Each structure stands twice: as structure tokens, then as C-alpha cells.
Amino acid sequence: MNEWLKKLISQVKALWSKWTLVQKLILFGVIAVAIVGIVVLVSVSASPSMVPLIDTPITDEAVRDRIIVRLNQENVHASVSATGVISVADDATARRMRSILISEDLIPQNVDPWSIFDIERWTITDFERNVNKRRAIIEQVRLHIKAIDDVDDASVVVNIPERTLFTADQNPVTASVVLFPKPGSDITSNRKKVEGIQKILKFAVEGLKDENITIADNSGNILNDFEGMKEWDRLTRIEKEQKIIARLESEYSAKVLTSLQKIYGMDRVRDLNIKIEMDMSEKTINTRDYLPTVIRSDNPDTPYDDSEIVETITLSSERSQTTWEGVGGNPEGPSGVEGQTPPAYKDMSNLYGKSTQTIEKVNNLVGQRDTLETASPAMGRRTVSVNIDGVWAKKRDENGNYIITNGGIEREYTPIAESEILAATRAVQDAIGYNRGRGDSVSVLNIQFDRTDQFEKEDGAYLRQIQTQRTILYSLIAVAAILIAFIVYRMVTRELERRRRMKEEEMLRLHQMEREKTLWEVEQAGMEVSMSVEERKRLELQENAINMAKEHPEDVALLIRTWLMEE
């Protein structure tokens, strides 16, 4: 085996040495293409397969975009093919999203409802085919309902009766669903979610109607009894209506308070009560207005109104006149025969008279306008009550200080003038859209607020401020007195020290003069004076100091000043 391998290697080497550079490059290219093909094949085979969400292609871009947006809201990755088929990752995701799309009416109109259940066909007997079809429908519906996030499990029973010849004898299709909600789910009280499950059943089962669907929870409570929920819906509607009224009252209250507080300040306008009545019932109003006829419109270029308007236009008129004069004789038949004269005219027989009758008929054209409108909701009566406080002024004395009476600052109250109250009333009326005919009421009052606590705090703060100022003043006076006493004491001590030092210097100077005088007298007498070592040293230091003072007078003066400052 080793010899064969060595022989093979030697042949390859010999063949390789015979090849040209072009042949070698072709070999490398073939190997590279083969490697790239293997990598692409592995990557394609390893990529996950996508499951169609709806088998039917969706050609409407708007509908397809709405479905894609809803999938993105559920964090579901989807891809759209060139033909318009939307695909998702797996079957479970497809079932869950189909349930959501059906409950929210996002399935396109041209999509066959049966296609989303992927029901297979069996080429067996009709009875078995119908049974399997019903089982497939029930299982698919159960999987769809179970795919909803709020449902932990579901039990579905669908009864599809056999078709009869006459419609009157045909039994309806019925469906019963028992839901097992997940902990914390609101599906048992959320009407929209229950209606979504009901729509899934109607799409899945042909001929199924709302009244033949029963949806219950695991406790036996019927969830789709919407007729029995009318009272609850009524209470919910009343609650929503009250919220709308409360929101409007808050908006009007904030508007009025803001406008008044900008004028009078936040502290003077506190209490504002507003009540709005609204008619939430739907009303259809049909109004007919009779309008005059405009023959010529007003010319805007003229400074006066040159329009011509008439109330009516005569289309046709008819006038008739009847005049009767003479004896009112009424002929009758032969004697002994009752005549045919009406009783009303018998009383007028053989009477003289004159009768004139005039009849005039005019057909006029009157313009009219019919208006049909639905009013809901309608704004009703509005009542507003607001209280504005007057102005409190603190009294001062001649020196500008507050007047203190009974331990507090004396104040004076000034009420609001009547003209200001009327102006504020008009401002509030304009803010709420006042309408007297509607029964609106606006009351702007000037009632004095109870400011006892506020005044006590202000008086306490003012009195504490005065006490603090006095304490600081007395402390400063005491500190100033102490400083003055210290300065006086320092000046006295320095003066005493200066006098003592001058006395000592004077004594030393006298002693020095006595000593110098003695030495001079001795020198004049020619006597030798024996001086001690200390006296010689002191005499040398004195001579050096004198010489230093003569040579450097400024340095000596600076040294003396330093000594004086230190002492």
C-alpha cells in the first residue's frame, strides 16, 4: 500500500511538473468554484423553511402593508414573495397570527376563508369524508383559538347537521367553545376578544350564525351573552359620558382660573365651581326654512346695498266676481205638489235683495330650505361660580414701620369695586360661551377669605425679624464696647510701658554720662584706669553701634522701628 501511494505521489508530481501555468490556474479555479458551490448548498439547505401565513397571494399593497405592520407589532418576522404570499417562521406562529388577523378583520376580502385552515381532502366514502372534514375543522379551530395569548387551552364542539330538502326542516349549525384562560388574562371580561373568537368560528364553519355560538369559560360563565350585557354597556356608556363631561369641566375651569389669576393673582382667586349639562342622546332634527327670493344680488363695488329681494314671486292668479240683484222668487211645481226648493232658500222667497261675491286666487312661489342634522351630544346649561377676594393692606406709621396692635400687624381690607366684578363676569361669560337663552348662569362674588393662619404666620415672621434685628444690634453694641475697652486698655498699657522704658533709658543714660565723666577726669589726671572685661566689651559694642549708625542710618532707623512695633 505504501509503495502504491508513493508511486501515485510520484506520478502526480511528474504530471504537475509537465503542466503549464495556465493549466495549473484552471485547476485552482475549478477547485475554488467547487468549494463555493458546496458552501452555498450547505447554507441554503441549513436555512429555516418558511410557512405561508395565507396561501392566497395578496396583491393589494395597502392590505399587505397593514398585515405586515400588525406582524411587526407582535415581533413576528415575515417575508413577502414576488407573487405576494406572506410567510412566517413556523406553523404555530402562522396559526396564532391568523387568529389575530381574523379577530381584527385584517383578512382580505378576496381570500377564501377555507384556505387558511389547510384542510386536506380524503378520497374515501362520503360519510367518512364528512366526519373527517368536521374533525379537521374542529381541530383547526381549536388550534387557532389556543394560539391566542390569553387562552391556555380550548375545547371546541361543532355540530354540522345533514342537509335536508326543505329549508324549514334544516337544523342550524351550532358551535360550543369552552375557554381555559391564562392567569391574569382579561379575555373573560374583554368583549372585543370574545367577538374575535366568535368571528374565527364564523369564518371556519359555513352557515354558523351568532345566535348559535356559545362561548364559555372553565367556570361555566357564558362570555358571548351580549344581550345580557346591555345593562353593563349602558353603565359603561354612562361612565364614559361622565368622563367626557368631567374633562370639559376641567378644561373650562382651567381656562377661567388662568385668565382670572393672571389679573388678580393666584392667592385671590381660589374657588371656582363649574357645572356643564350635556344631552348625549341622538336626535335627528329636520328644519324647514322659508326664504325670500333674491332677484338681484348686492354689488360689492357700490357703497350701498342695491340688492333686490322679494318675499314671493307670483306664478299665476285668478279672479272672479258674481253680482245678483232682484226679487228672490223661487218657482215651485204644480199646486198641491211639494217643490224642490231647499229649506235654506224657502225663507228667502219673495224677498228683495242684492248680493256681490268676489273670489281671487293667487299662486305664489316661496323659496324654502330643508335641513336634516343629527345632534349628539348637545351642549346644555352651564353654571359657573367663582369667588375673588379683596385686597389686604398693612398699615404703617409716620416712620414707615408697621403698626403693631394686640401682638399683630394692623391691616385694612378693601373690597372689589362693582365695576370690576361686572368686568370679571363678562370675561367669564365669554370664556365659557355664555348663552342666556340656554339658561346659563355665571356668578362672580367678592367674599372675604379667612386668612387667620396666613396673618399669624406673617406676624410671627415679622416679629421674629424685629427681635432678630434688635438682638443683632445689641450684640454689635456690646462687641463695639468690648473693642473700645480693649483699645483703651492697650493704649494705657503701651503708654505706661513707654514711660517705664524712657525712665530706664534716662537712668542708663545718666549712668553712662557719669561713667564717661569719670573716665574723662581720670584721663585728664593721667591716671591709669583698670577696666573690667565687661566694660571693655560694652564700650566696643557702643563704638560699633555708633559707627554703624553713622554709616547706615536708614538700616538703624528701620531696626528701631521694628523694635518699637514689636513692643
Side-chain angles (χ1 to χ4, degrees), residues 527-545:
M527 297 176 61
E528 295 181 0
V529 181
S530 60
M531 300 178 65
S532 62
V533 178
E534 294 178 358
E535 290 180 353
R536 290 182 181 275
K537 186 176 181 180
R538 186 172 61 81
L539 185 61
E540 291 178 358
L541 289 175
Q542 184 178 0
E543 291 179 358
N544 291 333

Side-chain angles (χ1 to χ4, degrees), residues 7-46:
K7 183 177 179 181
L8 180 61
I9 293 173
S10 62
Q11 290 178 357
V12 169
K13 289 182 177 179
L15 184 61
W16 180 262
S17 61
K18 293 180 181 179
W19 282 4
T20 61
L21 179 61
V22 177
Q23 292 176 339
K24 293 178 180 180
L25 292 176
I26 292 173
L27 178 62
F28 284 128
V30 171
I31 295 173
V33 171
I35 293 174
V36 171
I38 293 172
V39 171
V40 171
L41 181 62
V42 171
S43 62
V44 171
S45 62

Side-chain angles (χ1 to χ4, degrees), residues 303-368:
Y304 54 88
D305 186 4
D306 59 351
S307 61
E308 184 178 353
I309 301 175
V310 295
E311 295 182 357
T312 60
I313 296 177
T314 302
L315 296 180
S316 62
S317 63
E318 178 182 355
R319 185 174 183 178
S320 62
Q321 184 175 0
T322 303
T323 302
W324 171 80
E325 294 181 359
V327 179
N330 295 320
E332 296 183 359
S335 61
V337 179
E338 184 71 23
Q340 297 181 358
T341 303
Y345 289 97
K346 283 184 178 182
D347 296 336
M348 299 176 61
S349 61
N350 301 321
L351 294 178
Y352 292 93
K354 182 179 182 180
S355 175
T356 301
Q357 183 181 8
T358 302
I359 300 174
E360 183 176 0
K361 297 180 180 179
V362 180
N363 185 12
N364 293 328
L365 175 63
V366 180
Q368 66 181 22

Side-chain angles (χ1 to χ4, degrees), residues 500-514:
R500 184 184 62 80
R501 187 172 59 253
M502 290 179 62
K503 186 176 180 182
E504 290 179 356
E505 291 178 355
E506 182 66 21
M507 292 177 65
L508 290 174
R509 188 177 62 79
L510 293 174
H511 289 313
Q512 182 66 22
M513 289 178 63
E514 290 290 338

Side-chain angles (χ1 to χ4, degrees), residues 27-153:
L27 178 62
F28 284 128
V30 171
I31 295 173
V33 171
I35 293 174
V36 171
I38 293 172
V39 171
V40 171
L41 181 62
V42 171
S43 62
V44 171
S45 62
S47 61
S49 59
M50 303 294 285
V51 177
L53 179 64
I54 300 173
D55 292 337
T56 304
I58 302 175
T59 57
D60 191 351
E61 294 184 359
V63 176
R64 187 168 62 237
D65 292 339
R66 287 198 297 269
I67 295 175
I68 294 298
V69 169
R70 190 65 183 89
L71 295 177
N72 293 333
Q73 291 178 356
E74 297 292 333
N75 295 325
V76 175
H77 175 69
S79 62
V80 182
S81 64
T83 58
V85 177
I86 302 175
S87 302
V88 295
D90 50 20
D91 290 333
T93 304
R95 286 194 298 269
R96 182 170 68 89
M97 294 312 302
R98 279 196 291 265
S99 301
I100 294 175
L101 296 179
I102 293 173
S103 62
E104 296 182 2
D105 291 333
L106 293 178
I107 298 297
Q109 298 295 331
N110 60 344
V111 175
D112 185 9
W114 293 98
S115 64
I116 65 175
F117 292 97
D118 298 329
I119 300 174
E120 298 181 358
R121 299 179 180 270
W122 288 269
T123 56
I124 52 179
T125 63
D126 293 339
F127 176 77
E128 291 178 341
R129 183 161 46 246
N130 293 331
V131 171
N132 292 332
K133 176 182 178 182
R134 185 176 62 183
R135 291 177 59 188
I137 291 175
I138 293 174
E139 182 62 22
Q140 289 290 353
V141 171
R142 191 186 71 83
L143 292 177
H144 276 289
I145 296 175
K146 188 177 178 181
I148 300 175
D149 291 336
D150 297 316
V151 179
D152 191 11
D153 198 358

Side-chain angles (χ1 to χ4, degrees), residues 275 277 379-384 432-442:
K275 178 64 177 176
E277 298 178 0
M379 298 294 292
R381 183 170 178 264
R382 308 174 191 180
T383 57
V384 180
I432 66 170
Y434 176 80
N435 186 357
R436 185 177 180 181
R438 191 171 50 198
D440 295 350
S441 174
V442 175

